[in-house]
Amino acid sequence: MDGGLDMNELFGEEPPPSVPPAPIRKGLSPRIEELRLSGCCTRVAWSKIGNIAYINRLGDGIILRNYVCHPEDGKWGLTEECPIPQLPPAPEGQSYVHLGWSHSGSELAVVDTMGRVAILSVAVAMNRFLLSRPGDTLQEDDLGAVAGMIWLQVDRQFPVYRPAVKADDGYQYLGSSHKTMGPFHPYSVQGRSALICLTRGGAVRLLYQQVDQRWLDVKAELETLGGSIDVISHASFATEKENSLLLLVRTVAAQHHLFRVEINWNLPAAPKPPTQPAPLPVPKVIVSPIKTLDSSLEDASLVSKVSEDVGVPPRLSHLELIPVTPHAKNSEQTFPTIIAVFSHLPDPDAHDESAAFSTILRWELRELAQKLHGSFDQLTSKKNSASAAKKQSLHLVHIDGTRVDNVVLSVQQLTFSLIVALTYSDGTIEYRDRMTMKALTFDDDFQKVGSLAQVGFAFPAGEPCLHTALSQNFSLAVTMDAEGEVQVKSMQYSLEQLEEEPGDPRFEAAVVALTLQLVYCCTQMNNADDILALGQRAFAPGTGNHVLSQFQRALSLNLDYTVDPQHERLFRNPFFQQYLSMQHSMGYRGDREHRTLTSKSAWITLQLRNVARTFAYSLNSGAKGGPGSESDYTRPEVLQSLFGILKWSVDVNNFLVDELLALGDLLRGQLDDVDFIQRTLRETNSCALLLILGSVSRTFLRYNARALHGLSSASHKGVQATQRGDQKQAFTSVMGVIDTSPVKVSQLERMLAELDNEMKTAYQTFNLSEAERSIAEKTLLVHAQVAKPFQPVIKKLFSTTLDALRREIDPAAIYFADYSWLGLSDDRRTDAYRRSRLVDCMKKVPISPGVPLRRCTRCCAYMEDAAPGKTTSAYMASLQKACFCGSLFRLVDAKK
């Protein structure tokens, strides 16, 4: 006002309080300074098998944790901290600064401030390690500090699935086969690993495993086109199609150089791969300079403008070289891409974080053919002319930059480098498209579904943090703050809980997005626990079967083995194991509650599959050894180790017949009413009928019965032929279990064979095509629903087949038998056994109190933590690495 009156004074009001600026979060300035000084300082890392490793607060040790399902309530969460004692503390005055998991997820590289690289290997259980490579004891020069590192890929083919496209008959999943880009360790398929790192002094180090698993080291020095190179602050590697690596280097003087790294393994030419890996000769690392970029990366217009606006020079905090992505038909071509992040923090004395921001700049490395004058062709041979014509040079093409009003703390590449994940200091996690750098957010156009973020999944706002690592399938994140406190957070469906509603496009799109992530997980051999935990939280109970249906559709998973059993394919298909494991997990709510009908059916089928594979391996072990080789079935020590599996198989057969007889009494007079049959199955929660009707589980039952028949026959012959007391005793024990069973193996085989024939007849009567048969089998397995073609089979089973079997056996013997140790029933006796005793899920024997234990991270099954011995077959020893459900074990405290 003209008189200078204050309006607040005029009306007697107090002036509004001023809001102080947000202070700079504790530890943020030191963390940004650390990122500016080194490109190799990852303190939290999550492996593809599910291990979470992080450097402790003091920097002198490594902590391991896992994200597991808890048996008390079936919910998922972090385990307690587990230090890794196999790794010695960092040398005095030094600390560990970087962690990196191998592509297999079984090796962890630990780097300290001086560049010493120690390698830990997972040994059987997820939280048990071996120090396979100690750190370099002679490394005392800080120029040996690591500026960049990359693990070499495993040489294999893999499918890539593009976004699902909606059609009239549902979403179509489009996949194509691709090969990983090298270079590779020559024996990567046999489990040997290698990594390459670059030191601040410009030394390229190749660390690789010999065939005997010893780690060796070779070096090469960087030399630019103009001579020696300055001290390096950041380095980033990217794979190339020609089995080489691109290496981008930044020096402390803000110079940028591009190199190509190749490995000559010096292997002799061989007409065909050797059956046994031969020791590797000393390889040679070849480093070739490509281009000197000088300071052009930091002279971009956007960075220069930022510098003018804030009055400080640009300070680079991240430098990433992103490789090309697998190219599919009709997809946009990608080029090697440089991502540089420049982070700005205000003066620490200003105590104002609101002015902090990051600038993201990108460049593409495009190949341009070098054109020479035609007269040069006259100076070379035709061969040299052809190679010269193919020679191409890389040119830097700048792409528009992006400014974000937050501080970028990490840049991570996801899904074949198609997606870039940015994590920020306020706890925000953001997914961006690699091509456009646009944030992936909810999009209600569901004609094409490609990611969880697109359909409404997102990370909630979290607490401020300094370090973030994403899970193997990008649906979970673990964060660490300035105090070293670790928390885990999950993606959430940002709209509402997903419930099945007919015609709801959001529900259908969410199912497809989760299915695509599961398909990616399985085809990349990742642990699926994080995705299963996400599905359990996001979907309403009972709706997970829609994900399973889409999973079967995406992978074209065959569920009909009635017409063509294809035993070998059924045993070896890893996707089928994952399929059943997911079905079990979606209906598991802890040991205190009974499994759902579909979950129980999958759980038993997984065990039948595992037993069948054990029998198959043991039956064939002698034949593989050549003429005169001793089969595992003739070795008393191996028979003893298989005794639990043998008894389990016999008891399962008796249990199924007992359940079927009881079910037959309930269905008497109602065999023509499919709805009544369906209700009875739900009310009793009995899966016996589902197991013998389903072609997959029936195939395993028939195979196991045939194995029991063979064991019985071999034991009867062996006990007469052998003169060895230990063999005679082993054969007698086998005969005692099989021959005294109330339901003879031959009787079960006959019943299953009749069912096979009846199913084939039913399919022919209803004139079902191969696709229709698969749908009927899927409906039975996934939804526990009996399709119409099964009704005549069920009627004959209960009216004729089982009545005949009842007259041949003693029903009272199987009725009063104790099956509680199997864990297949929901009665009180089984519940009491489960609360008081544990059964080894692999050996199928009760576990004695107080012995060391392993527990599956997903299905919570237990096994004894015992080292393989002479009494263990080769296959039984290999089974100790993973649970029958396909997930992994971790060590847990012994039960009293």
Side-chain angles (χ1 to χ4, degrees):
M1 298 178 65
D2 293 341
L5 294 176
D6 190 316
M7 297 297 293
N8 293 317
E9 293 179 359
L10 180 64
F11 292 99
E13 296 180 0
E14 294 292 332
S18 59
V19 179
I24 297 178
R25 295 180 176 93
K26 181 180 179 180
L28 181 57
S29 295
R31 176 57 180 163
I32 292 298
E33 188 62 23
E34 183 181 32
L35 290 168
R36 287 170 174 170
L37 293 175
S38 174
C40 210
C41 52
T42 299
R43 295 178 176 269
V44 184
W46 201 321
S47 77
K48 69 183 297 180
I49 66 172
N51 272 334
I52 306 167
Y54 56 91
I55 301 172
N56 64 18
R57 186 178 180 186
L58 298 177
D60 61 352
I62 308 299
I63 304 295
L64 187 84
R65 298 178 81 170
N66 299 107
Y67 195 74
V68 303
C69 180
H70 295 291
E72 295 79 14
D73 54 11
K75 295 182 179 179
W76 295 81
L78 279 180
T79 59
E80 297 295 325
E81 291 188 345
C82 176
I84 301 179
Q86 292 79 9
L87 181 70
E92 185 176 355
Q94 307 297 322
S95 61
Y96 294 121
V97 295
H98 181 77
L99 301 175
W101 289 101
S102 66
H103 290 286
S104 66
S106 58
E107 287 106 6
L108 175 65
V110 183
V111 184
D112 70 7
T113 50
M114 302 298 289
R116 304 179 185 92
V117 181
I119 298 179
L120 294 159
S121 300
V122 177
V124 182
M126 293 180 70
N127 54 342
R128 173 186 284 152
F129 288 84
L130 296 175
L131 183 61
S132 57
R133 185 186 189 276
D136 312 88
T137 56
L138 301 178
Q139 180 63 47
E140 297 294 342
D141 185 359
D142 59 359
L143 290 179
V146 176
M149 186 179 75
I150 186 173
W151 283 89
L152 299 192
Q153 287 271 13
V154 178
D155 186 7
R156 69 182 187 92
Q157 294 285 135
F158 62 94
V160 174
Y161 281 81
R162 301 294 173 175
V165 179
K166 192 169 186 178
D168 293 338
D169 60 341
Y171 280 90
Q172 303 297 317
Y173 298 89
L174 309 175
S176 56
S177 181
H178 297 267
K179 187 179 183 299
T180 50
M181 294 189 294
F184 313 102
H185 190 293
Y187 301 130
S188 63
V189 178
Q190 287 83 7
R192 304 299 183 265
S193 301
L195 65 85
I196 289 182
C197 59
L198 177 67
T199 68
R200 288 173 58 85
V204 179
R205 300 177 59 190
L206 169 65
L207 280 62
Y208 66 99
Q209 277 186 302
Q210 263 290 3
V211 293
D212 58 2
Q213 299 188 349
R214 288 182 300 116
W215 282 91
L216 302 177
D217 188 349
V218 294
K219 296 181 181 180
E221 298 294 331
L222 286 186
E223 288 189 8
T224 67
L225 295 171
S228 61
I229 195 168
D230 200 355
V231 177
I232 297 168
S233 64
H234 295 74
S236 182
F237 294 88
T239 54
E240 274 197 303
K241 296 178 181 178
E242 293 80 11
N243 285 342
S244 60
L245 294 170
L246 287 177
L247 168 60
L248 178 64
V249 169
R250 179 190 186 271
T251 69
V252 294
Q255 293 181 326
H256 300 82
H257 306 276
L258 190 64
F259 299 87
R260 178 170 283 110
V261 180
E262 300 172 281
I263 304 174
N264 183 357
W265 294 97
N266 292 318
L267 293 175
K272 57 182 179 179
T275 56
Q276 292 294 332
L280 291 173
V282 178
K284 182 179 180 180
V285 179
I286 305 167
V287 184
S288 307
I290 298 177
K291 196 178 187 66
T292 298
L293 308 177
D294 296 325
S295 59
S296 58
L297 294 185
E298 301 187 18
D299 287 340
S301 59
L302 184 56
V303 175
S304 301
K305 183 179 184 303
V306 168
S307 179
E308 294 174 2
D309 292 342
V310 300
V312 295
R315 299 289 300 276
L316 182 138
S317 59
H318 295 84
L319 187 66
E320 290 285 331
L321 183 56
I322 302 181
V324 298
T325 59
H327 184 66
K329 185 178 180 181
N330 299 327
S331 65
E332 189 174 356
Q333 183 180 1
T334 59
F335 302 92
T337 304
I338 299 171
I339 292 183
V341 179
F342 300 85
S343 296
H344 169 71
L345 285 180
D347 190 293
D349 296 333
H351 301 289
D352 182 8
E353 192 178 320
S354 61
F357 61 88
S358 293
T359 304
I360 306 169
L361 301 182
R362 294 183 299 143
W363 294 261
E364 287 183 347
L365 293 169
R366 299 204 176 190
E367 295 178 343
L368 297 177
Q370 295 178 340
K371 296 182 179 180
L372 301 178
H373 194 276
S375 60
F376 280 92
D377 292 339
Q378 303 174 8
L379 303 178
T380 57
S381 65
K382 292 183 178 180
K383 179 178 180 180
N384 290 336
S385 295
S387 61
K390 294 180 180 179
K391 187 175 181 181
Q392 296 181 332
S393 62
L394 291 173
H395 288 255
L396 205 62
V397 179
H398 175 59
I399 310 174
D400 291 339
T402 305
R403 170 174 165 158
V404 291
D405 294 325
N406 212 328
V407 180
V408 176
L409 290 182
S410 73
V411 180
Q412 303 179 43
Q413 304 173 35
L414 314 177
T415 317
F416 315 112
S417 299
L418 288 166
I419 297 175
V420 175
L422 302 178
T423 66
Y424 300 99
S425 58
D426 65 353
T428 303
I429 300 174
E430 191 176 55
Y431 292 156
R432 291 178 176 255
D433 182 85
R434 173 252 179 85
M435 300 293 293
T436 64
M437 284 304 288
K438 291 182 179 179
L440 300 177
T441 57
F442 175 72
D443 182 0
D444 58 3
D445 181 9
F446 300 136
Q447 289 300 118
K448 183 181 290 187
V449 175
S451 70
L452 291 169
Q454 175 197 344
V455 300
F457 286 93
F459 283 101
E463 295 295 325
C465 62
L466 299 179
H467 308 275
T468 303
L470 295 173
S471 64
Q472 60 272 21
N473 300 300
F474 335 128
S475 61
L476 296 173
V478 63
T479 62
M480 179 190 291
D481 61 18
E483 303 297 331
E485 294 295 326
V486 171
Q487 295 182 349
V488 67
K489 60 180 179 179
S490 170
M491 269 187 154
Q492 296 178 3
Y493 191 64
S494 55
L495 304 179
E496 57 191 32
Q497 189 180 41
L498 287 161
E499 296 186 7
E500 181 183 2
E501 295 183 12
D504 183 2
R506 294 182 306 173
F507 176 82
E508 188 179 15
V511 167
V512 171
L514 193 68
T515 300
L516 278 173
Q517 200 62 50
L518 282 170
V519 169
Y520 169 83
C521 159
C522 294
T523 55
Q524 296 303 303
M525 295 182 287
N526 291 355
N527 189 313
D529 290 348
D530 57 336
I531 291 293
L532 293 175
L534 174 66
Q536 183 186 95
R537 284 187 294 268
F539 287 89
T543 59
N545 50 16
H546 294 278
V547 178
L548 293 171
S549 296
Q550 290 295 318
F551 183 81
Q552 183 264 343
R553 179 188 178 100
L555 291 176
S556 301
L557 202 60
N558 180 29
L559 300 179
D560 174 32
Y561 291 87
T562 298
V563 178
D564 184 7
Q566 305 177 56
H567 295 157
E568 190 71 16
R569 187 177 301 178
L570 183 57
F571 290 159
R572 295 182 179 275
N573 191 337
F575 299 142
F576 187 73
Q577 181 188 31
Q578 291 283 7
Y579 183 86
L580 290 172
S581 183
M582 289 184 283
Q583 179 171 323
H584 165 257
S585 180
M586 289 178 180
Y588 177 67
R589 296 295 180 265
D591 289 342
R592 297 174 183 175
E593 292 190 22
H594 298 146
R595 292 174 172 86
T596 64
L597 185 58
T598 54
S599 176
K600 184 192 293 187
S601 177
W603 186 62
I604 301 176
T605 305
L606 281 167
Q607 296 183 75
L608 291 172
R609 174 186 179 273
N610 195 60
V611 168
R613 294 184 68 196
T614 305
F615 282 145
Y617 186 92
S618 299
L619 279 169
N620 297 327
S621 61
K624 291 181 179 180
S629 298
E630 184 181 31
S631 170
D632 274 352
Y633 275 155
T634 65
R635 295 168 52 193
E637 65 274 12
V638 174
L639 284 175
Q640 187 65 32
S641 70
L642 294 175
F643 189 78
I645 294 177
L646 174 66
K647 187 177 187 308
W648 183 89
S649 301
V650 171
D651 280 5
V652 165
N653 293 341
N654 292 327
F655 170 80
L656 291 179
V657 172
D658 181 47
E659 287 278 292
L660 290 172
L661 292 177
L663 185 62
D665 293 337
L666 296 175
L667 298 178
R668 195 175 304 278
Q670 302 290 337
L671 294 176
D672 292 323
D673 189 345
V674 176
D675 292 335
F676 181 83
I677 296 173
Q678 192 69 56
R679 287 196 305 271
T680 304
L681 292 179
R682 296 287 182 185
E683 293 169 0
T684 60
N685 203 34
S686 173
C687 61
L689 181 60
L690 302 178
L691 290 174
I692 65 169
L693 286 180
S695 64
V696 171
S697 50
R698 190 171 66 251
T699 298
F700 292 138
L701 284 169
R702 291 195 67 182
Y703 191 93
N704 294 343
R706 188 158 59 247
L708 292 175
H709 189 93
L711 259 174
S712 177
S713 177
S715 298
H716 279 278
K717 294 179 181 178
V719 77
Q720 299 295 329
T722 185
Q723 300 298 319
R724 291 172 49 182
D726 55 349
Q727 275 191 337
K728 188 180 291 290
Q729 183 178 359
F731 289 142
T732 302
S733 299
V734 170
M735 293 162 51
V737 173
I738 299 177
D739 294 350
T740 58
S741 172
V743 179
K744 306 304 179 186
V745 175
S746 58
Q747 295 170 335
L748 183 72
E749 285 186 300
R750 186 182 66 228
M751 183 184 73
L752 295 175
E754 289 180 8
L755 270 172
D756 260 349
N757 293 329
E758 291 300 322
M759 288 301 304
K760 293 176 184 178
T761 301
Y763 284 151
Q764 292 173 355
T765 302
F766 283 84
N767 195 26
L768 297 186
S769 65
E770 182 178 351
E772 291 170 329
R773 295 199 306 270
S774 183
I775 292 174
E777 294 283 352
K778 182 181 70 173
T779 302
L780 184 72
L781 178 61
V782 177
H783 302 277
Q785 294 179 357
V786 179
K788 190 175 182 180
F790 293 119
Q791 191 272 331
V793 179
I794 294 174
K795 184 174 184 178
K796 183 172 182 180
L797 171 68
F798 286 106
S799 62
T800 305
T801 306
L802 284 175
D803 282 348
L805 181 62
R806 189 194 297 265
R807 291 191 294 269
E808 297 177 7
I809 64 175
D810 180 6
I814 60 173
Y815 179 80
F816 290 106
D818 183 7
Y819 306 115
S820 59
W821 77 287
L822 298 176
L824 305 182
S825 179
D826 295 340
D827 57 15
R828 294 181 179 180
R829 193 175 189 179
T830 301
D831 291 343
Y833 189 97
R834 184 168 53 246
R835 288 191 296 266
S836 61
R837 299 290 302 275
L838 296 177
V839 176
D840 191 308
C841 67
M842 308 305 288
K843 298 179 182 178
K844 304 299 183 188
V845 294
I847 298 176
S848 302
V851 302
L853 295 175
R854 304 175 197 160
R855 188 176 71 213
C856 176
T857 61
R858 185 183 304 167
C859 74
C860 301
Y862 289 88
M863 75 168 292
E864 182 180 351
D865 180 39
K870 293 182 179 180
T871 61
T872 307
S873 68
Y875 187 70
M876 286 296 294
S878 70
L879 286 179
Q880 296 184 5
K881 296 182 179 180
C883 179
F884 63 82
C885 76
S887 193
L888 300 176
F889 291 106
R890 68 184 309 274
L891 302 176
V892 294
D893 294 335
K895 299 288 184 180
K896 296 181 180 180

